[in-house]
Amino acid sequence: MRRVLMLLLALLCLCVSVPEVLAAEAENLSGKELVADRAGIGSLNRLFDGRTIESVKIKKGGHITLASEGGIGSIYLVFDREYGAITVTDENSGIVKILEETGFLHVFLDMEELFGCAPERVTLSFSSGDALLNELSAFGPGQVPDWVQRWAP
């Protein structure tokens, strides 16, 4: 009987720790090397410097394409002011999603939720007008770090 109880206790411990293993932290992909294409966007250095003090102007109609062989699980954007709608395109599947402005300056885009997978190539387009973007962070599939804010209306 004691062995059965010990076995059940061991199985219970395994079940409790499995979700922690499955929720591995996502790889931080952020950096200029992530950018495959861009138009209407100023300095890339400011987008990936880890500081939210200085912004990069994105002109109306500007876009940035991010590419990662392992897939892009999520994107975190920090704006300086209201930015208008963002068009997000999975370049491999051709699926396009238009995300209306939420009124928040911190925007978390869950690519896996939007497209059902972590796309290898994603384009963010800004057609509503000029936008001031302070920081762009991208992550592979998995759990994003705690410092990523998920503001919700």
mmCIF file with all atom_site columns, all heavy atoms in Angstrom, residues 25-31 33-34 47-48 50 68 71-76 135-145 147-148:
data_model
loop_
_atom_site.group_PDB
_atom_site.id
_atom_site.type_symbol
_atom_site.label_atom_id
_atom_site.label_alt_id
_atom_site.label_comp_id
_atom_site.label_asym_id
_atom_site.label_entity_id
_atom_site.label_seq_id
_atom_site.pdbx_PDB_ins_code
_atom_site.Cartn_x
_atom_site.Cartn_y
_atom_site.Cartn_z
_atom_site.occupancy
_atom_site.B_iso_or_equiv
_atom_site.pdbx_formal_charge
_atom_site.auth_seq_id
_atom_site.auth_comp_id
_atom_site.auth_asym_id
_atom_site.auth_atom_id
_atom_site.pdbx_PDB_model_num
ATOM 1   N N   . GLU A 1 25  ? 10.532 29.549 -21.800 1.00 0.00 ? 25  GLU A N   1
ATOM 2   C CA  . GLU A 1 25  ? 10.634 30.962 -22.175 1.00 0.00 ? 25  GLU A CA  1
ATOM 3   C C   . GLU A 1 25  ? 11.021 31.096 -23.641 1.00 0.00 ? 25  GLU A C   1
ATOM 4   O O   . GLU A 1 25  ? 11.882 30.380 -24.152 1.00 0.00 ? 25  GLU A O   1
ATOM 5   C CB  . GLU A 1 25  ? 11.649 31.681 -21.300 1.00 0.00 ? 25  GLU A CB  1
ATOM 6   C CG  . GLU A 1 25  ? 11.657 33.174 -21.554 1.00 0.00 ? 25  GLU A CG  1
ATOM 7   C CD  . GLU A 1 25  ? 12.373 33.960 -20.488 1.00 0.00 ? 25  GLU A CD  1
ATOM 8   O OE1 . GLU A 1 25  ? 12.043 33.805 -19.303 1.00 0.00 ? 25  GLU A OE1 1
ATOM 9   O OE2 . GLU A 1 25  ? 13.262 34.741 -20.868 1.00 0.00 ? 25  GLU A OE2 1
ATOM 10  N N   . ALA A 1 26  ? 10.355 32.014 -24.306 1.00 0.00 ? 26  ALA A N   1
ATOM 11  C CA  . ALA A 1 26  ? 10.592 32.262 -25.725 1.00 0.00 ? 26  ALA A CA  1
ATOM 12  C C   . ALA A 1 26  ? 11.958 32.911 -25.930 1.00 0.00 ? 26  ALA A C   1
ATOM 13  O O   . ALA A 1 26  ? 12.401 33.729 -25.130 1.00 0.00 ? 26  ALA A O   1
ATOM 14  C CB  . ALA A 1 26  ? 9.498  33.163 -26.283 1.00 0.00 ? 26  ALA A CB  1
ATOM 15  N N   . GLU A 1 27  ? 12.602 32.563 -27.031 1.00 0.00 ? 27  GLU A N   1
ATOM 16  C CA  . GLU A 1 27  ? 13.880 33.167 -27.387 1.00 0.00 ? 27  GLU A CA  1
ATOM 17  C C   . GLU A 1 27  ? 13.646 34.615 -27.820 1.00 0.00 ? 27  GLU A C   1
ATOM 18  O O   . GLU A 1 27  ? 12.735 34.909 -28.596 1.00 0.00 ? 27  GLU A O   1
ATOM 19  C CB  . GLU A 1 27  ? 14.513 32.390 -28.541 1.00 0.00 ? 27  GLU A CB  1
ATOM 20  C CG  . GLU A 1 27  ? 15.814 32.972 -29.024 1.00 0.00 ? 27  GLU A CG  1
ATOM 21  C CD  . GLU A 1 27  ? 16.373 32.256 -30.256 1.00 0.00 ? 27  GLU A CD  1
ATOM 22  O OE1 . GLU A 1 27  ? 15.736 31.316 -30.751 1.00 0.00 ? 27  GLU A OE1 1
ATOM 23  O OE2 . GLU A 1 27  ? 17.446 32.671 -30.703 1.00 0.00 ? 27  GLU A OE2 1
ATOM 24  N N   . ASN A 1 28  ? 14.473 35.512 -27.323 1.00 0.00 ? 28  ASN A N   1
ATOM 25  C CA  . ASN A 1 28  ? 14.391 36.912 -27.721 1.00 0.00 ? 28  ASN A CA  1
ATOM 26  C C   . ASN A 1 28  ? 15.110 37.053 -29.066 1.00 0.00 ? 28  ASN A C   1
ATOM 27  O O   . ASN A 1 28  ? 16.316 36.881 -29.160 1.00 0.00 ? 28  ASN A O   1
ATOM 28  C CB  . ASN A 1 28  ? 15.021 37.824 -26.671 1.00 0.00 ? 28  ASN A CB  1
ATOM 29  C CG  . ASN A 1 28  ? 14.761 39.289 -26.944 1.00 0.00 ? 28  ASN A CG  1
ATOM 30  O OD1 . ASN A 1 28  ? 14.475 39.695 -28.066 1.00 0.00 ? 28  ASN A OD1 1
ATOM 31  N ND2 . ASN A 1 28  ? 14.876 40.103 -25.907 1.00 0.00 ? 28  ASN A ND2 1
ATOM 32  N N   . LEU A 1 29  ? 14.362 37.349 -30.113 1.00 0.00 ? 29  LEU A N   1
ATOM 33  C CA  . LEU A 1 29  ? 14.900 37.443 -31.467 1.00 0.00 ? 29  LEU A CA  1
ATOM 34  C C   . LEU A 1 29  ? 15.285 38.872 -31.852 1.00 0.00 ? 29  LEU A C   1
ATOM 35  O O   . LEU A 1 29  ? 15.784 39.109 -32.949 1.00 0.00 ? 29  LEU A O   1
ATOM 36  C CB  . LEU A 1 29  ? 13.852 36.944 -32.470 1.00 0.00 ? 29  LEU A CB  1
ATOM 37  C CG  . LEU A 1 29  ? 13.282 35.550 -32.234 1.00 0.00 ? 29  LEU A CG  1
ATOM 38  C CD1 . LEU A 1 29  ? 12.118 35.299 -33.179 1.00 0.00 ? 29  LEU A CD1 1
ATOM 39  C CD2 . LEU A 1 29  ? 14.358 34.501 -32.397 1.00 0.00 ? 29  LEU A CD2 1
ATOM 40  N N   . SER A 1 30  ? 15.030 39.820 -30.976 1.00 0.00 ? 30  SER A N   1
ATOM 41  C CA  . SER A 1 30  ? 15.168 41.245 -31.280 1.00 0.00 ? 30  SER A CA  1
ATOM 42  C C   . SER A 1 30  ? 16.568 41.607 -31.755 1.00 0.00 ? 30  SER A C   1
ATOM 43  O O   . SER A 1 30  ? 17.559 41.138 -31.205 1.00 0.00 ? 30  SER A O   1
ATOM 44  C CB  . SER A 1 30  ? 14.834 42.074 -30.046 1.00 0.00 ? 30  SER A CB  1
ATOM 45  O OG  . SER A 1 30  ? 13.554 41.729 -29.568 1.00 0.00 ? 30  SER A OG  1
ATOM 46  N N   . GLY A 1 31  ? 16.610 42.440 -32.782 1.00 0.00 ? 31  GLY A N   1
ATOM 47  C CA  . GLY A 1 31  ? 17.874 42.929 -33.313 1.00 0.00 ? 31  GLY A CA  1
ATOM 48  C C   . GLY A 1 31  ? 17.740 43.260 -34.789 1.00 0.00 ? 31  GLY A C   1
ATOM 49  O O   . GLY A 1 31  ? 16.802 42.825 -35.461 1.00 0.00 ? 31  GLY A O   1
ATOM 50  N N   . GLU A 1 33  ? 19.294 42.221 -37.296 1.00 0.00 ? 33  GLU A N   1
ATOM 51  C CA  . GLU A 1 33  ? 19.389 41.056 -38.183 1.00 0.00 ? 33  GLU A CA  1
ATOM 52  C C   . GLU A 1 33  ? 18.033 40.390 -38.414 1.00 0.00 ? 33  GLU A C   1
ATOM 53  O O   . GLU A 1 33  ? 17.855 39.625 -39.351 1.00 0.00 ? 33  GLU A O   1
ATOM 54  C CB  . GLU A 1 33  ? 20.405 40.038 -37.669 1.00 0.00 ? 33  GLU A CB  1
ATOM 55  C CG  . GLU A 1 33  ? 20.128 39.503 -36.287 1.00 0.00 ? 33  GLU A CG  1
ATOM 56  C CD  . GLU A 1 33  ? 20.534 40.427 -35.134 1.00 0.00 ? 33  GLU A CD  1
ATOM 57  O OE1 . GLU A 1 33  ? 21.195 41.446 -35.351 1.00 0.00 ? 33  GLU A OE1 1
ATOM 58  O OE2 . GLU A 1 33  ? 20.153 40.085 -34.001 1.00 0.00 ? 33  GLU A OE2 1
ATOM 59  N N   . LEU A 1 34  ? 17.064 40.704 -37.572 1.00 0.00 ? 34  LEU A N   1
ATOM 60  C CA  . LEU A 1 34  ? 15.706 40.177 -37.714 1.00 0.00 ? 34  LEU A CA  1
ATOM 61  C C   . LEU A 1 34  ? 14.958 40.839 -38.875 1.00 0.00 ? 34  LEU A C   1
ATOM 62  O O   . LEU A 1 34  ? 14.039 40.274 -39.446 1.00 0.00 ? 34  LEU A O   1
ATOM 63  C CB  . LEU A 1 34  ? 14.946 40.401 -36.397 1.00 0.00 ? 34  LEU A CB  1
ATOM 64  C CG  . LEU A 1 34  ? 13.518 39.910 -36.286 1.00 0.00 ? 34  LEU A CG  1
ATOM 65  C CD1 . LEU A 1 34  ? 13.479 38.385 -36.270 1.00 0.00 ? 34  LEU A CD1 1
ATOM 66  C CD2 . LEU A 1 34  ? 12.874 40.456 -35.029 1.00 0.00 ? 34  LEU A CD2 1
ATOM 67  N N   . LEU A 1 47  ? 15.296 51.210 -32.697 1.00 0.00 ? 47  LEU A N   1
ATOM 68  C CA  . LEU A 1 47  ? 14.212 50.243 -32.456 1.00 0.00 ? 47  LEU A CA  1
ATOM 69  C C   . LEU A 1 47  ? 14.644 49.094 -31.564 1.00 0.00 ? 47  LEU A C   1
ATOM 70  O O   . LEU A 1 47  ? 13.815 48.489 -30.890 1.00 0.00 ? 47  LEU A O   1
ATOM 71  C CB  . LEU A 1 47  ? 13.706 49.671 -33.780 1.00 0.00 ? 47  LEU A CB  1
ATOM 72  C CG  . LEU A 1 47  ? 12.786 50.534 -34.606 1.00 0.00 ? 47  LEU A CG  1
ATOM 73  C CD1 . LEU A 1 47  ? 12.332 49.771 -35.841 1.00 0.00 ? 47  LEU A CD1 1
ATOM 74  C CD2 . LEU A 1 47  ? 11.592 50.989 -33.805 1.00 0.00 ? 47  LEU A CD2 1
ATOM 75  N N   . PHE A 1 48  ? 15.925 48.781 -31.583 1.00 0.00 ? 48  PHE A N   1
ATOM 76  C CA  . PHE A 1 48  ? 16.404 47.596 -30.870 1.00 0.00 ? 48  PHE A CA  1
ATOM 77  C C   . PHE A 1 48  ? 17.435 47.911 -29.797 1.00 0.00 ? 48  PHE A C   1
ATOM 78  O O   . PHE A 1 48  ? 18.193 47.045 -29.391 1.00 0.00 ? 48  PHE A O   1
ATOM 79  C CB  . PHE A 1 48  ? 17.000 46.601 -31.875 1.00 0.00 ? 48  PHE A CB  1
ATOM 80  C CG  . PHE A 1 48  ? 16.029 46.141 -32.919 1.00 0.00 ? 48  PHE A CG  1
ATOM 81  C CD1 . PHE A 1 48  ? 16.114 46.618 -34.222 1.00 0.00 ? 48  PHE A CD1 1
ATOM 82  C CD2 . PHE A 1 48  ? 15.016 45.251 -32.606 1.00 0.00 ? 48  PHE A CD2 1
ATOM 83  C CE1 . PHE A 1 48  ? 15.219 46.197 -35.193 1.00 0.00 ? 48  PHE A CE1 1
ATOM 84  C CE2 . PHE A 1 48  ? 14.112 44.829 -33.567 1.00 0.00 ? 48  PHE A CE2 1
ATOM 85  C CZ  . PHE A 1 48  ? 14.217 45.304 -34.857 1.00 0.00 ? 48  PHE A CZ  1
ATOM 86  N N   . GLY A 1 50  ? 16.853 48.824 -26.659 1.00 0.00 ? 50  GLY A N   1
ATOM 87  C CA  . GLY A 1 50  ? 16.404 48.527 -25.303 1.00 0.00 ? 50  GLY A CA  1
ATOM 88  C C   . GLY A 1 50  ? 15.992 49.751 -24.512 1.00 0.00 ? 50  GLY A C   1
ATOM 89  O O   . GLY A 1 50  ? 15.669 49.651 -23.332 1.00 0.00 ? 50  GLY A O   1
ATOM 90  N N   . SER A 1 68  ? 12.472 35.018 -39.215 1.00 0.00 ? 68  SER A N   1
ATOM 91  C CA  . SER A 1 68  ? 13.217 34.111 -38.348 1.00 0.00 ? 68  SER A CA  1
ATOM 92  C C   . SER A 1 68  ? 12.876 32.677 -38.734 1.00 0.00 ? 68  SER A C   1
ATOM 93  O O   . SER A 1 68  ? 11.695 32.315 -38.795 1.00 0.00 ? 68  SER A O   1
ATOM 94  C CB  . SER A 1 68  ? 12.855 34.354 -36.881 1.00 0.00 ? 68  SER A CB  1
ATOM 95  O OG  . SER A 1 68  ? 13.464 33.381 -36.057 1.00 0.00 ? 68  SER A OG  1
ATOM 96  N N   . GLY A 1 71  ? 10.548 30.774 -36.511 1.00 0.00 ? 71  GLY A N   1
ATOM 97  C CA  . GLY A 1 71  ? 9.215  31.334 -36.343 1.00 0.00 ? 71  GLY A CA  1
ATOM 98  C C   . GLY A 1 71  ? 9.186  32.475 -35.346 1.00 0.00 ? 71  GLY A C   1
ATOM 99  O O   . GLY A 1 71  ? 10.008 32.553 -34.434 1.00 0.00 ? 71  GLY A O   1
ATOM 100 N N   . ILE A 1 72  ? 8.232  33.375 -35.568 1.00 0.00 ? 72  ILE A N   1
ATOM 101 C CA  . ILE A 1 72  ? 8.045  34.522 -34.692 1.00 0.00 ? 72  ILE A CA  1
ATOM 102 C C   . ILE A 1 72  ? 6.760  34.283 -33.902 1.00 0.00 ? 72  ILE A C   1
ATOM 103 O O   . ILE A 1 72  ? 5.672  34.288 -34.462 1.00 0.00 ? 72  ILE A O   1
ATOM 104 C CB  . ILE A 1 72  ? 7.965  35.830 -35.504 1.00 0.00 ? 72  ILE A CB  1
ATOM 105 C CG1 . ILE A 1 72  ? 9.271  36.025 -36.292 1.00 0.00 ? 72  ILE A CG1 1
ATOM 106 C CG2 . ILE A 1 72  ? 7.688  37.022 -34.593 1.00 0.00 ? 72  ILE A CG2 1
ATOM 107 C CD1 . ILE A 1 72  ? 9.218  37.114 -37.325 1.00 0.00 ? 72  ILE A CD1 1
ATOM 108 N N   . GLY A 1 73  ? 6.911  34.039 -32.621 1.00 0.00 ? 73  GLY A N   1
ATOM 109 C CA  . GLY A 1 73  ? 5.763  33.733 -31.770 1.00 0.00 ? 73  GLY A CA  1
ATOM 110 C C   . GLY A 1 73  ? 5.001  34.960 -31.327 1.00 0.00 ? 73  GLY A C   1
ATOM 111 O O   . GLY A 1 73  ? 3.787  34.928 -31.178 1.00 0.00 ? 73  GLY A O   1
ATOM 112 N N   . SER A 1 74  ? 5.728  36.069 -31.124 1.00 0.00 ? 74  SER A N   1
ATOM 113 C CA  . SER A 1 74  ? 5.064  37.298 -30.672 1.00 0.00 ? 74  SER A CA  1
ATOM 114 C C   . SER A 1 74  ? 5.947  38.502 -30.957 1.00 0.00 ? 74  SER A C   1
ATOM 115 O O   . SER A 1 74  ? 7.160  38.389 -31.135 1.00 0.00 ? 74  SER A O   1
ATOM 116 C CB  . SER A 1 74  ? 4.735  37.216 -29.182 1.00 0.00 ? 74  SER A CB  1
ATOM 117 O OG  . SER A 1 74  ? 5.909  37.017 -28.426 1.00 0.00 ? 74  SER A OG  1
ATOM 118 N N   . ILE A 1 75  ? 5.284  39.660 -31.000 1.00 0.00 ? 75  ILE A N   1
ATOM 119 C CA  . ILE A 1 75  ? 5.962  40.933 -31.224 1.00 0.00 ? 75  ILE A CA  1
ATOM 120 C C   . ILE A 1 75  ? 5.433  41.915 -30.184 1.00 0.00 ? 75  ILE A C   1
ATOM 121 O O   . ILE A 1 75  ? 4.228  41.973 -29.923 1.00 0.00 ? 75  ILE A O   1
ATOM 122 C CB  . ILE A 1 75  ? 5.692  41.469 -32.642 1.00 0.00 ? 75  ILE A CB  1
ATOM 123 C CG1 . ILE A 1 75  ? 6.218  40.475 -33.685 1.00 0.00 ? 75  ILE A CG1 1
ATOM 124 C CG2 . ILE A 1 75  ? 6.327  42.840 -32.836 1.00 0.00 ? 75  ILE A CG2 1
ATOM 125 C CD1 . ILE A 1 75  ? 5.825  40.810 -35.109 1.00 0.00 ? 75  ILE A CD1 1
ATOM 126 N N   . TYR A 1 76  ? 6.331  42.675 -29.603 1.00 0.00 ? 76  TYR A N   1
ATOM 127 C CA  . TYR A 1 76  ? 5.984  43.678 -28.587 1.00 0.00 ? 76  TYR A CA  1
ATOM 128 C C   . TYR A 1 76  ? 6.441  45.039 -29.087 1.00 0.00 ? 76  TYR A C   1
ATOM 129 O O   . TYR A 1 76  ? 7.616  45.239 -29.401 1.00 0.00 ? 76  TYR A O   1
ATOM 130 C CB  . TYR A 1 76  ? 6.656  43.312 -27.268 1.00 0.00 ? 76  TYR A CB  1
ATOM 131 C CG  . TYR A 1 76  ? 6.378  44.245 -26.121 1.00 0.00 ? 76  TYR A CG  1
ATOM 132 C CD1 . TYR A 1 76  ? 5.077  44.527 -25.718 1.00 0.00 ? 76  TYR A CD1 1
ATOM 133 C CD2 . TYR A 1 76  ? 7.425  44.818 -25.417 1.00 0.00 ? 76  TYR A CD2 1
ATOM 134 C CE1 . TYR A 1 76  ? 4.835  45.368 -24.637 1.00 0.00 ? 76  TYR A CE1 1
ATOM 135 C CE2 . TYR A 1 76  ? 7.188  45.657 -24.336 1.00 0.00 ? 76  TYR A CE2 1
ATOM 136 C CZ  . TYR A 1 76  ? 5.896  45.932 -23.956 1.00 0.00 ? 76  TYR A CZ  1
ATOM 137 O OH  . TYR A 1 76  ? 5.646  46.761 -22.887 1.00 0.00 ? 76  TYR A OH  1
ATOM 138 N N   . GLU A 1 135 ? 10.278 51.233 -29.474 1.00 0.00 ? 135 GLU A N   1
ATOM 139 C CA  . GLU A 1 135 ? 10.982 49.958 -29.300 1.00 0.00 ? 135 GLU A CA  1
ATOM 140 C C   . GLU A 1 135 ? 10.198 48.840 -29.954 1.00 0.00 ? 135 GLU A C   1
ATOM 141 O O   . GLU A 1 135 ? 8.963  48.847 -29.955 1.00 0.00 ? 135 GLU A O   1
ATOM 142 C CB  . GLU A 1 135 ? 11.167 49.672 -27.809 1.00 0.00 ? 135 GLU A CB  1
ATOM 143 C CG  . GLU A 1 135 ? 12.198 48.635 -27.476 1.00 0.00 ? 135 GLU A CG  1
ATOM 144 C CD  . GLU A 1 135 ? 13.636 49.058 -27.787 1.00 0.00 ? 135 GLU A CD  1
ATOM 145 O OE1 . GLU A 1 135 ? 13.952 50.250 -27.836 1.00 0.00 ? 135 GLU A OE1 1
ATOM 146 O OE2 . GLU A 1 135 ? 14.454 48.150 -27.989 1.00 0.00 ? 135 GLU A OE2 1
ATOM 147 N N   . LEU A 1 136 ? 10.919 47.886 -30.514 1.00 0.00 ? 136 LEU A N   1
ATOM 148 C CA  . LEU A 1 136 ? 10.321 46.698 -31.111 1.00 0.00 ? 136 LEU A CA  1
ATOM 149 C C   . LEU A 1 136 ? 11.059 45.480 -30.566 1.00 0.00 ? 136 LEU A C   1
ATOM 150 O O   . LEU A 1 136 ? 12.288 45.422 -30.642 1.00 0.00 ? 136 LEU A O   1
ATOM 151 C CB  . LEU A 1 136 ? 10.446 46.745 -32.633 1.00 0.00 ? 136 LEU A CB  1
ATOM 152 C CG  . LEU A 1 136 ? 9.743  45.648 -33.421 1.00 0.00 ? 136 LEU A CG  1
ATOM 153 C CD1 . LEU A 1 136 ? 9.413  46.140 -34.830 1.00 0.00 ? 136 LEU A CD1 1
ATOM 154 C CD2 . LEU A 1 136 ? 10.532 44.368 -33.516 1.00 0.00 ? 136 LEU A CD2 1
ATOM 155 N N   . SER A 1 137 ? 10.323 44.542 -30.011 1.00 0.00 ? 137 SER A N   1
ATOM 156 C CA  . SER A 1 137 ? 10.898 43.292 -29.517 1.00 0.00 ? 137 SER A CA  1
ATOM 157 C C   . SER A 1 137 ? 10.136 42.146 -30.159 1.00 0.00 ? 137 SER A C   1
ATOM 158 O O   . SER A 1 137 ? 8.914  42.205 -30.292 1.00 0.00 ? 137 SER A O   1
ATOM 159 C CB  . SER A 1 137 ? 10.784 43.180 -27.995 1.00 0.00 ? 137 SER A CB  1
ATOM 160 O OG  . SER A 1 137 ? 11.422 44.260 -27.358 1.00 0.00 ? 137 SER A OG  1
ATOM 161 N N   . ALA A 1 138 ? 10.864 41.120 -30.562 1.00 0.00 ? 138 ALA A N   1
ATOM 162 C CA  . ALA A 1 138 ? 10.240 39.941 -31.163 1.00 0.00 ? 138 ALA A CA  1
ATOM 163 C C   . ALA A 1 138 ? 10.761 38.699 -30.460 1.00 0.00 ? 138 ALA A C   1
ATOM 164 O O   . ALA A 1 138 ? 11.921 38.653 -30.028 1.00 0.00 ? 138 ALA A O   1
ATOM 165 C CB  . ALA A 1 138 ? 10.533 39.879 -32.658 1.00 0.00 ? 138 ALA A CB  1
ATOM 166 N N   . PHE A 1 139 ? 9.879  37.701 -30.360 1.00 0.00 ? 139 PHE A N   1
ATOM 167 C CA  . PHE A 1 139 ? 10.213 36.482 -29.631 1.00 0.00 ? 139 PHE A CA  1
ATOM 168 C C   . PHE A 1 139 ? 9.825  35.259 -30.442 1.00 0.00 ? 139 PHE A C   1
ATOM 169 O O   . PHE A 1 139 ? 8.871  35.294 -31.221 1.00 0.00 ? 139 PHE A O   1
ATOM 170 C CB  . PHE A 1 139 ? 9.469  36.450 -28.287 1.00 0.00 ? 139 PHE A CB  1
ATOM 171 C CG  . PHE A 1 139 ? 9.771  37.634 -27.433 1.00 0.00 ? 139 PHE A CG  1
ATOM 172 C CD1 . PHE A 1 139 ? 8.964  38.761 -27.485 1.00 0.00 ? 139 PHE A CD1 1
ATOM 173 C CD2 . PHE A 1 139 ? 10.871 37.648 -26.600 1.00 0.00 ? 139 PHE A CD2 1
ATOM 174 C CE1 . PHE A 1 139 ? 9.245  39.877 -26.723 1.00 0.00 ? 139 PHE A CE1 1
ATOM 175 C CE2 . PHE A 1 139 ? 11.165 38.760 -25.834 1.00 0.00 ? 139 PHE A CE2 1
ATOM 176 C CZ  . PHE A 1 139 ? 10.351 39.886 -25.887 1.00 0.00 ? 139 PHE A CZ  1
ATOM 177 N N   . GLY A 1 140 ? 10.555 34.183 -30.230 1.00 0.00 ? 140 GLY A N   1
ATOM 178 C CA  . GLY A 1 140 ? 10.186 32.911 -30.824 1.00 0.00 ? 140 GLY A CA  1
ATOM 179 C C   . GLY A 1 140 ? 8.977  32.350 -30.098 1.00 0.00 ? 140 GLY A C   1
ATOM 180 O O   . GLY A 1 140 ? 8.433  32.983 -29.182 1.00 0.00 ? 140 GLY A O   1
ATOM 181 N N   . PRO A 1 141 ? 8.538  31.167 -30.479 1.00 0.00 ? 141 PRO A N   1
ATOM 182 C CA  . PRO A 1 141 ? 7.410  30.537 -29.785 1.00 0.00 ? 141 PRO A CA  1
ATOM 183 C C   . PRO A 1 141 ? 7.740  30.296 -28.308 1.00 0.00 ? 141 PRO A C   1
ATOM 184 O O   . PRO A 1 141 ? 8.887  30.050 -27.956 1.00 0.00 ? 141 PRO A O   1
ATOM 185 C CB  . PRO A 1 141 ? 7.236  29.213 -30.528 1.00 0.00 ? 141 PRO A CB  1
ATOM 186 C CG  . PRO A 1 141 ? 7.897  29.410 -31.848 1.00 0.00 ? 141 PRO A CG  1
ATOM 187 C CD  . PRO A 1 141 ? 9.018  30.371 -31.610 1.00 0.00 ? 141 PRO A CD  1
ATOM 188 N N   . GLY A 1 142 ? 6.730  30.372 -27.460 1.00 0.00 ? 142 GLY A N   1
ATOM 189 C CA  . GLY A 1 142 ? 6.921  30.113 -26.039 1.00 0.00 ? 142 GLY A CA  1
ATOM 190 C C   . GLY A 1 142 ? 6.442  31.260 -25.180 1.00 0.00 ? 142 GLY A C   1
ATOM 191 O O   . GLY A 1 142 ? 5.820  32.212 -25.659 1.00 0.00 ? 142 GLY A O   1
ATOM 192 N N   . GLN A 1 143 ? 6.757  31.192 -23.913 1.00 0.00 ? 143 GLN A N   1
ATOM 193 C CA  . GLN A 1 143 ? 6.337  32.173 -22.923 1.00 0.00 ? 143 GLN A CA  1
ATOM 194 C C   . GLN A 1 143 ? 7.244  33.392 -22.987 1.00 0.00 ? 143 GLN A C   1
ATOM 195 O O   . GLN A 1 143 ? 8.454  33.264 -22.863 1.00 0.00 ? 143 GLN A O   1
ATOM 196 C CB  . GLN A 1 143 ? 6.383  31.537 -21.522 1.00 0.00 ? 143 GLN A CB  1
ATOM 197 C CG  . GLN A 1 143 ? 5.940  32.436 -20.410 1.00 0.00 ? 143 GLN A CG  1
ATOM 198 C CD  . GLN A 1 143 ? 4.463  32.762 -20.490 1.00 0.00 ? 143 GLN A CD  1
ATOM 199 O OE1 . GLN A 1 143 ? 3.661  31.921 -20.843 1.00 0.00 ? 143 GLN A OE1 1
ATOM 200 N NE2 . GLN A 1 143 ? 4.120  33.983 -20.166 1.00 0.00 ? 143 GLN A NE2 1
ATOM 201 N N   . VAL A 1 144 ? 6.658  34.581 -23.187 1.00 0.00 ? 144 VAL A N   1
ATOM 202 C CA  . VAL A 1 144 ? 7.467  35.796 -23.239 1.00 0.00 ? 144 VAL A CA  1
ATOM 203 C C   . VAL A 1 144 ? 7.932  36.161 -21.838 1.00 0.00 ? 144 VAL A C   1
ATOM 204 O O   . VAL A 1 144 ? 7.310  35.777 -20.846 1.00 0.00 ? 144 VAL A O   1
ATOM 205 C CB  . VAL A 1 144 ? 6.687  36.968 -23.889 1.00 0.00 ? 144 VAL A CB  1
ATOM 206 C CG1 . VAL A 1 144 ? 6.369  36.666 -25.335 1.00 0.00 ? 144 VAL A CG1 1
ATOM 207 C CG2 . VAL A 1 144 ? 5.441  37.309 -23.115 1.00 0.00 ? 144 VAL A CG2 1
ATOM 208 N N   . PRO A 1 145 ? 9.021  36.928 -21.744 1.00 0.00 ? 145 PRO A N   1
ATOM 209 C CA  . PRO A 1 145 ? 9.525  37.332 -20.420 1.00 0.00 ? 145 PRO A CA  1
ATOM 210 C C   . PRO A 1 145 ? 8.507  38.169 -19.648 1.00 0.00 ? 145 PRO A C   1
ATOM 211 O O   . PRO A 1 145 ? 7.608  38.789 -20.242 1.00 0.00 ? 145 PRO A O   1
ATOM 212 C CB  . PRO A 1 145 ? 10.759 38.179 -20.767 1.00 0.00 ? 145 PRO A CB  1
ATOM 213 C CG  . PRO A 1 145 ? 11.115 37.836 -22.161 1.00 0.00 ? 145 PRO A CG  1
ATOM 214 C CD  . PRO A 1 145 ? 9.859  37.401 -22.834 1.00 0.00 ? 145 PRO A CD  1
ATOM 215 N N   . TRP A 1 147 ? 8.792  41.028 -18.297 1.00 0.00 ? 147 TRP A N   1
ATOM 216 C CA  . TRP A 1 147 ? 8.827  42.464 -18.529 1.00 0.00 ? 147 TRP A CA  1
ATOM 217 C C   . TRP A 1 147 ? 7.943  42.900 -19.717 1.00 0.00 ? 147 TRP A C   1
ATOM 218 O O   . TRP A 1 147 ? 7.668  44.080 -19.882 1.00 0.00 ? 147 TRP A O   1
ATOM 219 C CB  . TRP A 1 147 ? 10.246 42.977 -18.713 1.00 0.00 ? 147 TRP A CB  1
ATOM 220 C CG  . TRP A 1 147 ? 11.045 42.336 -19.813 1.00 0.00 ? 147 TRP A CG  1
ATOM 221 C CD1 . TRP A 1 147 ? 11.929 41.304 -19.687 1.00 0.00 ? 147 TRP A CD1 1
ATOM 222 C CD2 . TRP A 1 147 ? 11.042 42.696 -21.202 1.00 0.00 ? 147 TRP A CD2 1
ATOM 223 N NE1 . TRP A 1 147 ? 12.459 40.987 -20.924 1.00 0.00 ? 147 TRP A NE1 1
ATOM 224 C CE2 . TRP A 1 147 ? 11.935 41.835 -21.860 1.00 0.00 ? 147 TRP A CE2 1
ATOM 225 C CE3 . TRP A 1 147 ? 10.365 43.645 -21.954 1.00 0.00 ? 147 TRP A CE3 1
ATOM 226 C CZ2 . TRP A 1 147 ? 12.187 41.902 -23.234 1.00 0.00 ? 147 TRP A CZ2 1
ATOM 227 C CZ3 . TRP A 1 147 ? 10.608 43.716 -23.325 1.00 0.00 ? 147 TRP A CZ3 1
ATOM 228 C CH2 . TRP A 1 147 ? 11.501 42.854 -23.941 1.00 0.00 ? 147 TRP A CH2 1
ATOM 229 N N   . VAL A 1 148 ? 7.499  41.958 -20.524 1.00 0.00 ? 148 VAL A N   1
ATOM 230 C CA  . VAL A 1 148 ? 6.596  42.274 -21.640 1.00 0.00 ? 148 VAL A CA  1
ATOM 231 C C   . VAL A 1 148 ? 5.213  42.548 -21.063 1.00 0.00 ? 148 VAL A C   1
ATOM 232 O O   . VAL A 1 148 ? 4.625  41.699 -20.407 1.00 0.00 ? 148 VAL A O   1
ATOM 233 C CB  . VAL A 1 148 ? 6.539  41.120 -22.667 1.00 0.00 ? 148 VAL A CB  1
ATOM 234 C CG1 . VAL A 1 148 ? 5.487  41.389 -23.724 1.00 0.00 ? 148 VAL A CG1 1
ATOM 235 C CG2 . VAL A 1 148 ? 7.902  40.912 -23.296 1.00 0.00 ? 148 VAL A CG2 1
#
